[in-house]
Amino acid sequence: MTRAKAARGRIDKRRAILDAAFTVFARRGYNQACVQEIADEAEVAKPTVYNHLDDKETLFRHAVEAAADAVAARCVEAIAGLRDPGADLPAALTDSAHRLLRVCASDHSRALRSLTYAQLTTFPDLADTVQDRTSRHLAEALSDRFARLMLSGRLRTTDPAQAAEHFLALLTGPLEAHSRLGTRNVPAAELRELAESAVDTFVRAYATAENTGR
């Protein structure tokens, strides 16, 4: 085996361990989860887990951070269409909003929030780490998209970071209410309605007259 293949194999195995760890921690909670169950989930030997990550605490932190990065990547992918929204800006915004809500309402995202909040007393810094890697990272990417739309005259010229904050608040606030703080699965049709309502409000506040879709 070449050195490059060996390195790739190690990276893939580490990723598999972190994915398995997140699954077990989400299912059991930090205190009840054990490294042997994580090894079984990842289909590796228990010593292999320790070869990649020193102890249970380190494993938990890295598993949560990896899960947060995965959610963030999906969120940024959800707004990719805003780089070139086409002639119908409200439609492009609605599509991105709907995609974002689907990510935020997914089992993976809900498990990440639940697990992070449940361990606030044991890992008080982890919530801020997760927020940095998810919502703040997304807000920065969305701010960049909105800045470009402002420069092209499609959105009213203002602070793009504030516009991004407002857009996300219009989505996440109602989602928290409809999902009962993440304890209820929100049907797809309901997510679509939330996206349309959020975009309607956002467009009224931020779109230039020729880009309101009305």
Side-chain angles (χ1 to χ4, degrees):
M1 181 183 295
T2 66
R3 187 172 300 175
K5 285 184 178 180
R8 170 53 60 188
R10 182 172 176 81
I11 291 170
D12 290 344
K13 187 165 291 185
R14 178 185 174 88
R15 184 179 296 116
I17 291 170
L18 291 176
D19 288 345
F22 182 77
T23 298
V24 174
F25 284 129
R27 183 168 62 224
R28 296 283 195 184
Y30 177 74
N31 291 327
Q32 297 301 317
C34 69
V35 175
Q36 183 60 61
E37 185 176 2
I38 291 168
D40 293 342
E41 183 79 23
E43 299 182 345
V44 299
K46 186 176 178 179
T48 302
V49 176
Y50 286 117
N51 285 340
H52 285 265
L53 297 130
D54 296 335
D55 51 40
K56 184 179 175 181
E57 178 180 337
T58 302
L59 182 57
F60 179 76
R61 286 184 177 278
H62 282 268
V64 171
E65 289 170 0
D69 288 342
V71 169
R74 291 179 61 200
C75 285
V76 172
E77 183 181 354
I79 63 170
L82 295 181
R83 285 188 177 276
D84 184 14
D88 192 337
L89 180 59
L93 288 167
T94 300
D95 180 67
S96 289
H98 189 209
R99 290 173 182 269
L100 278 174
L101 285 175
R102 291 208 304 269
V103 174
C104 293
S106 68
D107 290 343
H108 197 74
S109 294
R110 290 164 59 196
L112 176 62
R113 289 196 298 273
S114 177
L115 193 56
T116 302
Y117 295 150
Q119 298 303 322
L120 276 176
T121 56
T122 308
F123 300 93
D125 61 312
L126 200 55
D128 196 51
T129 299
V130 169
Q131 191 172 30
D132 276 339
R133 290 172 180 254
T134 55
S135 57
R136 288 175 189 148
H137 180 68
L138 172 61
E140 289 175 1
L142 191 59
S143 175
D144 175 73
R145 307 296 188 276
F146 285 167
R148 293 170 185 268
L149 290 170
M150 289 172 188
L151 286 173
S152 65
R154 306 197 67 180
L155 291 180
R156 183 168 54 82
T157 301
T158 183
D159 182 357
Q162 185 178 69
E165 182 180 350
H166 289 170
F167 185 80
L168 293 174
L170 287 167
L171 294 173
T172 56
L175 178 61
E176 286 292 279
H178 283 249
S179 69
R180 298 171 190 157
L181 300 178
T183 62
R184 169 182 176 260
N185 282 318
V186 182
E190 200 170 324
L191 290 177
R192 184 73 188 184
E193 289 174 3
L194 292 179
E196 290 172 350
S197 177
V199 169
D200 182 65
T201 301
F202 182 82
V203 164
R204 290 173 187 273
Y206 283 99
T208 53
E210 62 272 23
N211 286 281
T212 61
R214 294 189 291 272

